[in-house]
Amino acid sequence: MHVSAFICNHNSFLIYGSLEEPTLKNWSRVTHVSVSLAFVISVVFAACGYMTFTGYAEGDIFENYCRDDNLATFGRFCYGVTVILTFPLECFVTREVIANVFFHGNLSTVFHIVVTVVIIAVATGVSLVYDCLGIVLELNGVLSATPLVFIIPTACYLRLSKERWNHSDNLISCLILAVGVLVMTVGFVLTILHPQECSHGKEMFYCFPSNVSFRNSTLPP
């Protein structure tokens, strides 16, 4: 369910408005290029991670590398920089919602800073308390991403449609809605019954000196 967690619906309006020429053609080009690039990178990382560690592959591939691996440490650093640069996008959306709901869309400079600091402080505090993101991403995927992508849009379309739900024009929407409900239900049940294990920063067994010969060999399936 991790794949379902990577959504950007909440950023779409802000990113569309930031385009120099906000047209559907430019928006289509930006979304297709960015999503295609993200897909290729995700597939490459997933394939390389599994081919390297096979059955020992963790949800966070960096957990498979030992602490004395300098290249992996550099990779963790690059990943951290990526998160730092991405995090403000999430803050922008949350701050925009708070401004529209509680302040009628207008924030003074003082409240702008206060709201931003509070959002970052709360998110940082939660992240420092809980170190296992697997269950978080899975629940986010099945309870947030799936309704946003499959259920809510199709339900709204069917509700506003002048035809009956079983009309030929609505069959695809009904199919997507049913699949979305099925994925959300099954995904939630599987996440609760079979939660992903977390290593809590513990190094893999092959990182210890007694298993140095194992580290230099190919991991068995």
Side-chain angles (χ1 to χ4, degrees), residues 15-204:
I15 297 175
Y16 179 81
S18 68
L19 295 177
E20 184 176 352
E21 296 182 10
T23 61
L24 290 179
K25 182 179 180 180
N26 290 338
W27 175 247
S28 177
R29 183 184 300 112
V30 169
T31 54
H32 280 80
V33 171
S34 58
V35 171
S36 299
L37 182 61
F39 173 77
V40 171
I41 294 175
S42 298
V43 170
V44 170
F45 272 78
C48 293
Y50 183 77
M51 287 188 295
T52 302
F53 301 105
T54 60
Y56 297 102
E58 296 285 335
D60 180 0
I61 193 64
F62 283 120
E63 293 186 3
N64 283 105
Y65 292 93
C66 304
R67 295 177 182 175
D68 59 355
D69 191 323
N70 295 328
L71 189 59
T73 301
F74 178 72
R76 295 186 185 98
F77 170 78
C78 294
Y79 182 72
V81 172
T82 302
V83 172
I84 292 174
L85 296 177
T86 306
F87 189 64
L89 284 176
E90 308 304 319
C91 293
F92 293 162
V93 177
T94 307
R95 187 178 59 203
E96 187 80 8
V97 172
I98 293 176
N100 290 330
V101 173
F102 298 104
F103 301 96
H104 305 289
N106 296 317
L107 280 178
S108 64
T109 303
V110 175
F111 275 101
H112 181 92
I113 296 175
V114 170
V115 171
T116 303
V117 170
V118 170
I119 294 172
I120 295 177
V122 171
T124 303
V126 173
S127 65
L128 292 176
V129 171
Y130 198 73
D131 63 342
C132 293
L133 293 180
I135 185 67
V136 176
L137 290 174
E138 290 176 353
L139 290 177
N140 181 54
V142 298
L143 298 180
S144 297
T146 302
L148 282 174
V149 175
F150 298 105
I151 299 177
I152 296 177
T154 52
C156 291
Y157 177 83
L158 293 173
R159 180 65 180 83
L160 297 174
S161 176
K162 296 180 180 179
E163 307 293 343
R164 292 178 56 85
W165 67 269
N166 56 355
H167 191 270
S168 58
D169 293 339
N170 295 334
L171 291 181
I172 295 180
S173 296
C174 291
L175 178 61
I176 296 175
L177 177 62
V179 171
V181 173
L182 178 64
V183 169
M184 184 179 69
T185 305
V186 174
F188 179 75
V189 172
L190 291 178
T191 300
I192 299 300
L193 296 180
H194 306 286
Q196 187 185 55
E197 296 183 359
C198 184
S199 65
H200 298 287
K202 183 180 178 181
E203 286 194 279
M204 301 295 288

